[in-house]
Amino acid sequence: MRLAKAEHFVRFDSGNRGSLAVEETRNLIKYRELIMQLIRRDVVSRYKRSFLGVAWTMLNPLGTMLILTLVFSNLFHSVNSYPIFILSGLIGWNFFSQATIAALSQNVWGGSLLHKVYLPRTAFTVSAIGTGVVNLLLSLIPLFIIMVILGQPFRIFVLFLPVSIILLTIFSLGIGLLVSTLALYFPDVVDMYHIGLTAWMYLTPIIYPSEIIPEVYRRWVLAFNPMYYLVEMIRQPIYEGRIPSGEMLGISIGISIAALIIGWLVFTWKANEFTYRT
Amino acid sequence: MNSPIVHDHERLAMITHSPIAIHLEDISVRYRKPEVEIRSFKEFTIQYFQRRIRMQDFWALRNINLDIYRGETFGVIGRNGAGKTTLLKVISRVIAPTKGRMIVEGEVAPLLECGAGFQAEMTGRENILLYGSLLGHSHQQIKEHIPEILDFAQLDGFIDAPLRMYSSGMIARLGFAVATSWKPQILILDEILAVGDEAFKKKCKARIDGFRAEGATILLVTHDMDLILKKCDRAALLEGGSIVDQGDVHQVVKRYRSVIELSETTQR
């Protein structure tokens, strides 16, 4: 029998694991190719058998915008170029809601795989959010086309968008991990989350300008809504052509990172349950 | 039968002087199920306030103590529901033990049930990339192995067709080819050789023999006692979540057969 020469054996000791959150991070980096493949699979298999293919991602927000413009442009005539106002708010919100819902259902799909092979438990959540980012970037294309058609000026501040998108991604990942952990215990969290998202959307100034909220409540409705800041971070460089204020940037960074840390800790703390349940 | 010599004392002596690859110390696994299944948050709140939630404990493994040496082929036998699969899941880190300590030295490569993780809409080539990454390999590593995988799986030009057009035999071959394309340090085989035709089985066995000769640690779960006797250096018998016997394969298989006979006579 030839024993392997100078082979490296990684040691795993269940009695000496250290922090679960750190271990998960290390494993996720090791499995980064899996994340890329899962994103690829999601993007490819979603469009492979449909006639319009990737165009759906771009047409979806355009359709919503068209309807909302038809219905509301008279109501909100104070808002200049209402289509761009809606679209610039909607792409951020759509990303958040679709990606977190996908994270929930991905963990259900991944659940069966997690029973058979060791994988970093966060892999399915991370890849769901990653797929969302791809779709978000694709939905920027029709937005820019509409801007050209309607003669909305492009300011240099559009270059600020990557920062906004990164922060929104971090926030969505944190929330995605949190709701996935909850859904592990109660399957109807999925339904509750859908209802919650609808309410949350109407509480966020996406299809209406924040000025229409009665002055008395406005501060409260906005100040405690993380999505208000994150949606504004995307809307301001596009629609208003300016960089968000330092205060807004600071708050956005704070809530995104806090959401990710809490989500990551809770998820990795409960991750072992994934294979004990379902 | 051209398998290696049944009783290779030399090999066994060498293995028991090797370092320990898998060390299990008082490993227990408890599944906890509410007596009445709670499907929703609403139900949970109602039942919680009525203090009606009672949990039912089920110990799938009880105080397992086991050492498996590097380079050893170890058989795990027992009746259905004895805890074999749970034991393999603990070792491959799919589930964390409720109690006890486990030390594993080396990468554990599980052989997935044929086709698990495959995507019907994606081509064979895309599935190789997905499956390879599921096993933790990098893009580059997977690409380098594609020719060898195709050679083993013999897909006859179907490689760029979507997987839904494959026969089940082709899917099984592809799955095995990807999973065993890398020499594993610790290989877990759970009833994997139960599928496929004779020619394919022969090929799979030859490949596993190769790993065995190269010093990989192999854990084999099967109901095929001939396979255990032929391939394993040592074995353990599980019964009701505990190890009732371990060591020499002949002795353990004999014990297993008597357990089976006993249960058959009591049933009559």
Side-chain angles (χ1 to χ4, degrees), chain A residues 2 7-14 33 40 49 109 114-116 119 121 187-188 275-276, chain B residues 30 39-41 70 89 94-96 101-106 113 119 121 126 134 139 185 214:
Chain A
R2 286 172 288 132
E7 220 176 319
H8 177 62
F9 291 93
V10 184
R11 186 185 165 97
F12 170 81
D13 184 347
S14 74
E33 177 61 24
R40 221 188 101 84
R49 289 179 91 178
W109 176 84
L114 289 174
H115 281 272
K116 297 186 181 95
L119 298 172
R121 307 285 199 251
D188 59 345
T275 44
Y276 270 103
Chain B
R30 178 189 56 202
R39 296 302 304 167
S40 70
F41 186 71
R70 189 174 293 165
K89 281 183 174 178
V94 167
I95 60 174
R101 184 178 186 185
M102 171 177 79
I103 301 173
V104 174
E105 273 185 14
E113 275 164 42
Q119 295 291 309
E121 282 308 314
E126 288 166 340
L134 221 54
H139 192 77
Q185 291 178 332
E214 282 172 48

Side-chain angles (χ1 to χ4, degrees), chain A residues 154-231:
Chain A
F154 280 87
R155 296 274 163 78
I156 184 81
F157 305 120
V158 170
L159 296 177
F160 183 77
L161 275 182
V163 177
S164 314
I165 292 174
I166 289 169
L167 288 176
L168 182 58
T169 306
I170 292 172
F171 179 75
S172 306
L173 180 56
I175 298 297
L177 289 166
L178 267 178
V179 283
S180 300
T181 315
L182 265 177
L184 179 65
Y185 292 94
F186 312 105
D188 59 345
V189 163
V190 180
D191 302 313
M192 294 200 295
Y193 186 64
H194 275 101
I195 298 168
L197 269 180
T198 312
W200 194 352
M201 179 176 158
Y202 286 113
L203 281 172
T204 312
I206 291 165
I207 57 173
Y208 58 84
S210 57
E211 291 80 44
I212 71 156
I213 307 174
E215 190 115 34
V216 213
Y217 314 119
R218 195 187 299 161
R219 254 197 75 214
W220 298 100
V221 170
L222 301 183
F224 294 106
N225 182 354
M227 281 307 285
Y228 162 68
Y229 302 100
L230 292 163
V231 164

Side-chain angles (χ1 to χ4, degrees), chain B residues 7-60:
Chain B
H7 235 142
D8 195 344
H9 290 288
E10 222 174 292
R11 180 180 149 92
L12 196 61
M14 227 171 137
I15 282 166
T16 46
H17 282 93
S18 304
I20 287 169
I22 300 165
H23 170 74
L24 302 178
E25 203 178 298
D26 276 325
I27 292 284
S28 299
V29 169
R30 178 189 56 202
Y31 289 110
R32 202 158 227 196
K33 267 202 146 121
E35 267 175 9
V36 194
E37 182 115 35
I38 295 170
R39 296 302 304 167
S40 70
F41 186 71
K42 190 181 84 188
E43 257 178 73
F44 175 81
T45 349
I46 295 168
Q47 305 238 357
Y48 183 82
F49 286 110
Q50 298 179 336
R51 295 181 191 285
R52 291 231 316 256
I53 298 173
R54 253 174 292 145
M55 294 293 188
Q56 220 167 29
D57 283 359
F58 168 68
W59 291 91

Side-chain angles (χ1 to χ4, degrees), chain A residues 231-249:
Chain A
V231 164
E232 282 296 302
M233 288 277 287
I234 291 180
R235 178 179 278 158
Q236 286 182 6
I238 296 174
Y239 176 71
E240 293 173 33
R242 64 186 172 92
I243 282 191
S245 67
E247 190 195 344
M248 182 158 273
L249 179 64

